[in-house]
Short mmCIF file of all heavy atoms in Angstrom, two decimals:
data_model
loop_
_atom_site.label_atom_id
_atom_site.label_comp_id
_atom_site.label_asym_id
_atom_site.label_seq_id
_atom_site.Cartn_x
_atom_site.Cartn_y
_atom_site.Cartn_z
N CYS A 516 19.49 13.32 -6.88
CA CYS A 516 19.41 13.80 -5.50
C CYS A 516 19.49 12.63 -4.54
O CYS A 516 20.16 12.69 -3.53
CB CYS A 516 18.10 14.58 -5.32
SG CYS A 516 18.08 16.25 -5.93
N TYR A 517 18.75 11.56 -4.87
CA TYR A 517 18.84 10.36 -4.05
C TYR A 517 20.27 9.77 -4.05
O TYR A 517 20.81 9.39 -2.98
CB TYR A 517 17.87 9.28 -4.56
CG TYR A 517 16.43 9.58 -4.40
CD1 TYR A 517 15.47 8.88 -5.12
CD2 TYR A 517 15.99 10.52 -3.48
CE1 TYR A 517 14.10 9.15 -4.94
CE2 TYR A 517 14.62 10.81 -3.31
CZ TYR A 517 13.71 10.10 -4.03
OH TYR A 517 12.36 10.36 -3.92
N CYS A 518 20.86 9.77 -5.23
CA CYS A 518 22.26 9.26 -5.38
C CYS A 518 23.19 10.12 -4.48
O CYS A 518 24.01 9.58 -3.74
CB CYS A 518 22.68 9.33 -6.83
SG CYS A 518 24.42 8.89 -7.14
N GLY A 519 23.05 11.42 -4.53
CA GLY A 519 23.89 12.31 -3.77
C GLY A 519 23.69 12.13 -2.30
O GLY A 519 24.62 12.20 -1.51
N ALA A 520 22.40 11.88 -1.91
CA ALA A 520 22.08 11.73 -0.50
C ALA A 520 22.79 10.43 0.06
O ALA A 520 23.32 10.45 1.15
CB ALA A 520 20.58 11.58 -0.32
N PHE A 521 22.78 9.36 -0.76
CA PHE A 521 23.42 8.15 -0.33
C PHE A 521 24.95 8.37 -0.18
O PHE A 521 25.54 7.89 0.79
CB PHE A 521 23.13 7.02 -1.31
CG PHE A 521 21.89 6.26 -1.03
CD1 PHE A 521 20.63 6.77 -1.40
CD2 PHE A 521 21.92 5.05 -0.36
CE1 PHE A 521 19.48 6.06 -1.11
CE2 PHE A 521 20.79 4.32 -0.07
CZ PHE A 521 19.54 4.85 -0.45
N LEU A 522 25.54 9.05 -1.17
CA LEU A 522 26.99 9.31 -1.13
C LEU A 522 27.36 10.16 0.05
O LEU A 522 28.37 9.90 0.75
CB LEU A 522 27.43 9.90 -2.42
CG LEU A 522 27.41 9.00 -3.66
CD1 LEU A 522 27.76 9.80 -4.91
CD2 LEU A 522 28.39 7.85 -3.48
N LEU A 523 26.56 11.23 0.22
CA LEU A 523 26.88 12.16 1.32
C LEU A 523 26.76 11.48 2.67
O LEU A 523 27.64 11.62 3.57
CB LEU A 523 25.87 13.34 1.28
CG LEU A 523 26.21 14.56 2.12
CD1 LEU A 523 27.47 15.24 1.64
CD2 LEU A 523 25.04 15.57 2.06
N ALA A 524 25.69 10.70 2.86
CA ALA A 524 25.47 9.98 4.11
C ALA A 524 26.62 9.01 4.40
O ALA A 524 27.14 8.91 5.52
CB ALA A 524 24.15 9.27 4.11
N GLN A 525 27.02 8.26 3.36
CA GLN A 525 28.01 7.18 3.56
C GLN A 525 29.43 7.70 3.72
O GLN A 525 30.13 7.19 4.63
CB GLN A 525 27.93 6.19 2.38
CG GLN A 525 28.88 4.98 2.60
CD GLN A 525 28.51 3.85 1.69
OE1 GLN A 525 27.51 3.91 0.96
NE2 GLN A 525 29.36 2.83 1.63
N PHE A 526 29.82 8.69 2.91
CA PHE A 526 31.20 9.10 2.93
C PHE A 526 31.48 10.35 3.75
O PHE A 526 32.66 10.62 4.07
CB PHE A 526 31.70 9.25 1.50
CG PHE A 526 31.70 7.99 0.75
CD1 PHE A 526 30.74 7.74 -0.24
CD2 PHE A 526 32.67 7.02 0.97
CE1 PHE A 526 30.74 6.58 -0.95
CE2 PHE A 526 32.67 5.82 0.26
CZ PHE A 526 31.75 5.59 -0.72
N VAL A 527 30.48 11.16 4.03
CA VAL A 527 30.67 12.37 4.82
C VAL A 527 30.17 12.16 6.25
O VAL A 527 30.92 12.42 7.23
CB VAL A 527 29.97 13.56 4.19
CG1 VAL A 527 30.12 14.80 5.08
CG2 VAL A 527 30.56 13.86 2.79
N PHE A 528 28.94 11.68 6.41
CA PHE A 528 28.38 11.48 7.73
C PHE A 528 28.57 10.09 8.31
O PHE A 528 28.16 9.80 9.42
CB PHE A 528 26.89 11.84 7.72
CG PHE A 528 26.65 13.29 7.38
CD1 PHE A 528 26.15 13.62 6.11
CD2 PHE A 528 26.87 14.28 8.28
CE1 PHE A 528 25.92 14.96 5.75
CE2 PHE A 528 26.61 15.61 7.97
CZ PHE A 528 26.15 15.96 6.69
N LYS A 529 29.21 9.19 7.47
CA LYS A 529 29.46 7.81 7.91
C LYS A 529 28.20 7.09 8.37
O LYS A 529 28.13 6.39 9.37
CB LYS A 529 30.51 7.80 9.03
CG LYS A 529 31.82 8.54 8.74
CD LYS A 529 32.49 7.98 7.49
CE LYS A 529 33.75 8.76 7.21
NZ LYS A 529 34.42 8.26 5.97
#
Side-chain angles (χ1 to χ4, degrees):
C516 280
Y517 291 162
C518 175
F521 272 81
L522 289 174
L523 193 65
Q525 185 163 352
F526 295 106
V527 177
F528 297 105
K529 307 302 179 183

